[in-house]
């Protein structure tokens, strides 16, 4: 089957792109508004684009009514954010934080998570998360209707059980979750891992 992009409707393109670029990591982004309200939301248009220094990309659409999502507004206002890693224990909690709450709602409270102010940024990280990257905004560009956010990490926090001192990660301890399309996700640990050597 072939789909000529300019002859294919938006819903089908959405399903093809999300269904074939898999599994995707999930950047669980925490920010603080100018008014001091904490915000949290997951994004799977997320990846690393550089390692030294670490730079990450997020691609975020607008709300259906055309307004900015709280994450984008907060990042553009404060120029900083934290990317938390989604793991098995926090999977259901992550889903709660994906709901559209008004900007004055603290999504840490809604999700039952503990915010801790970052060391290098004012944005909070999730205390319960096993790893996170504290980032400052590197660049914001529009790509058609999406906000491409590039963030440079100033600090990488990872719990002692998950990483050794040289940054080798134990996936069975981290238990990361990846996103497929629709409501499908994958566990990136245990029997799912394939070793190449
Ligand atoms: C696993 C997952 C991944 C998501 N990925 C994206 C994404 O890459 N881009 C996007 O615009 N929205 C994505 N969403 C939807 C946002 O999380 C949702 O719009 C959220 O309400 C935005 O919150 P905010 O207004 O607090 O920023 C995703 C949702 C889930 C559950």
């Amino acid at each position: 089957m072939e789909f000529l992009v300019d002859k294919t409707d938006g819903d089908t393109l959405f399903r093809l792109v999300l269904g074939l670029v898999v599994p995707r990591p999930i950047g669980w982004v925490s920010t603080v508004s100018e008014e001091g309200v904490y915000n949290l939301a997951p994004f799977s248009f997320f990846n690393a684009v550089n390692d030294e220094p670490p730079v990450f990309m997020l691609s975020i659409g607008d709300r259906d009514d055309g307004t900015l999502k709280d994450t984008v507004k907060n990042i553009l206002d404060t120029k900083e954010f934290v990317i938390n890693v989604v793991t098995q224990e926090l999977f259901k909690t992550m889903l709660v934080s994906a709901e559209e709450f008004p900007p004055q709602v603290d999504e840490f409270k809604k999700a039952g998570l503990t915010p801790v102010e970052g060391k290098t940024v004012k944005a909070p990280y999730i205390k319960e998360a096993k790893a996170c990257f504290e980032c400052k905004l590197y660049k914001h560009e529009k790509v058609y209707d999406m906000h491409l956010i590039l963030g440079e990490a100033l600090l990488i926090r990872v719990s002692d059980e998950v990483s050794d001192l040289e940054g080798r990660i134990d996936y069975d301890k981290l238990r990361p979750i990846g996103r497929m399309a629709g409501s499908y996700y994958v566990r990136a640990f245990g029997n799912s891992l394939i070793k190449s050597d």
Side-chain angles (χ1 to χ4, degrees), residues 25-30 39-46 58-60 69 71 83-84 86 90-101 107 126 179 185:
I26 305 168
W28 199 7
V29 179
S30 41
N39 191 80
L40 192 58
F43 299 95
S44 70
F45 278 7
F46 160 63
L58 297 159
S59 181
I60 306 180
K69 291 188 182 180
T71 301
I83 302 170
N84 304 270
V86 177
L90 296 174
F91 173 62
K92 293 266 163 65
T93 315
M94 177 276 292
L95 293 176
V96 174
S97 75
E99 283 173 44
E100 261 189 31
F101 296 107
E107 289 176 345
I126 303 171
R179 188 174 197 202
Y185 293 82

Side-chain angles (χ1 to χ4, degrees), residues 1-183:
M1 214 176 296
E2 292 178 336
F3 297 85
L4 264 179
V5 169
D6 59 7
K7 301 239 175 332
T8 306
D9 68 89
D11 288 347
T12 305
L13 290 175
F14 181 79
R15 281 190 291 270
L16 287 167
V17 172
L18 273 79
L20 293 172
V21 183
V22 284
R24 291 185 305 288
I26 305 168
W28 199 7
V29 179
S30 41
T31 52
V32 60
S33 72
E34 280 184 320
E35 294 73 33
V37 180
Y38 288 154
N39 191 80
L40 192 58
F43 299 95
S44 70
F45 278 7
F46 160 63
N47 223 309
V49 293
N50 197 45
D51 57 343
E52 198 182 334
V55 176
F56 302 95
M57 56 92 23
L58 297 159
S59 181
I60 306 180
D62 288 331
R63 294 187 199 279
D64 291 341
D65 65 5
T67 58
L68 296 181
K69 291 188 182 180
D70 295 335
T71 301
V72 175
K73 176 155 195 340
N74 293 348
I75 291 174
L76 296 183
D77 286 347
T78 64
K79 313 276 185 272
E80 47 179 56
F81 55 102
V82 177
I83 302 170
N84 304 270
V85 174
V86 177
T87 54
Q88 166 94 346
E89 299 72 18
L90 296 174
F91 173 62
K92 293 266 163 65
T93 315
M94 177 276 292
L95 293 176
V96 174
S97 75
E99 283 173 44
E100 261 189 31
F101 296 107
Q104 63 277 14
V105 172
D106 179 333
E107 289 176 345
F108 277 83
K109 285 207 181 105
K110 283 276 170 203
L113 292 167
T114 318
V116 182
E117 191 175 303
K119 192 178 235 174
T120 60
V121 295
K122 285 219 158 39
Y125 67 91
I126 303 171
K127 189 175 178 204
E128 291 81 359
K130 289 184 180 163
C132 71
F133 303 97
E134 294 185 4
C135 298
K136 65 172 184 196
L137 179 62
Y138 175 80
K139 197 175 262 189
H140 166 240
E141 297 266 351
K142 283 299 289 281
V143 176
Y144 289 96
D145 290 339
M146 302 295 279
H147 297 270
L148 175 65
I149 304 276
L150 296 176
E152 178 175 333
L154 304 175
L155 180 140
I156 301 172
R157 180 175 293 105
V158 53
S159 69
D160 294 350
E161 49 154 11
V162 163
S163 174
D164 69 14
L165 286 173
E166 289 162 332
R168 287 180 202 84
I169 303 300
D170 180 335
Y171 297 113
D172 286 328
K173 297 272 167 53
L174 182 65
R175 294 152 71 90
I177 297 290
R179 188 174 197 202
M180 310 296 280
S183 50

